[in-house]
Amino acid sequence: MIWKTNSHLFTATVCQHTGRTCPAVQRMAEKLSQAMMASKPITSGDFEIEGSSVLKHCPMECPAKFTASHDRIRIFCGVTPEAETEGLNRFADALFDPDPNPLTLTQFERPCAIAEAVPVTVRQPSEHHAAI
């Protein structure tokens, strides 16, 4: 699923449990994007937050791990807080990045769904979704 607000372009994969896009991860992505926009005037360009949560409104109450910066927000559903971010990001790059690096066979926790938000000023929609 792809949607846009005034500040961000969002992309979310289909949940492997429900077969639909998860409304809980959609809301979390939008709230994180609002928080990052609100923090922009008082933080440096390299400001980043990372954490984990449980998606209470998800039918599976999936754990979710997130990383958020002014350049990109990603939420990985169905992974533990200890999941390796590097492997998750390589997997997400293979799905979302129009110029991805090849995904090598490495072991990492596979998310049941992923959501990404990028500021509309970073990439234009036609560039961002050329590979999707």
Side-chain angles (χ1 to χ4, degrees):
M1 172 181 223
I2 300 169
W3 73 102
K4 185 178 174 184
T5 63
N6 289 338
S7 63
H8 284 79
L9 177 67
F10 298 86
T11 309
T13 64
V14 171
C15 174
Q16 299 301 302
H17 297 296
T18 66
R20 298 184 318 232
T21 306
C22 178
V25 77
Q26 288 175 258
R27 280 191 296 269
M28 184 175 181
E30 288 184 11
K31 294 299 182 186
L32 276 172
S33 71
Q34 292 168 1
M36 292 306 293
M37 288 301 294
S39 72
K40 195 167 188 165
I42 56 173
T43 57
S44 63
D46 62 350
F47 176 70
E48 184 174 281
I49 58 172
E50 186 173 301
S52 60
S53 183
V54 173
L55 298 173
K56 295 281 186 182
H57 296 286
C58 163
M60 306 297 291
E61 289 197 10
C62 280
K65 182 172 183 164
F66 67 89
T67 59
S69 70
H70 293 302
D71 296 327
R72 179 181 71 199
I73 298 165
R74 281 190 173 157
I75 305 167
F76 303 97
C77 303
V79 298
T80 64
E82 297 80 25
E84 182 187 318
T85 304
E86 183 180 336
L88 291 168
N89 275 322
R90 280 196 316 269
F91 184 64
D93 287 344
L95 294 173
F96 297 134
D97 194 329
D99 300 312
N101 290 321
L103 183 62
T104 56
L105 294 176
T106 59
Q107 290 197 346
F108 63 94
E109 270 187 74
R110 300 288 197 275
C112 62
I114 304 171
E116 179 179 79
V118 293
V120 292
T121 57
V122 171
R123 284 186 263 187
Q124 295 304 313
S126 60
E127 293 174 14
H128 179 71
H129 295 289
I132 296 179

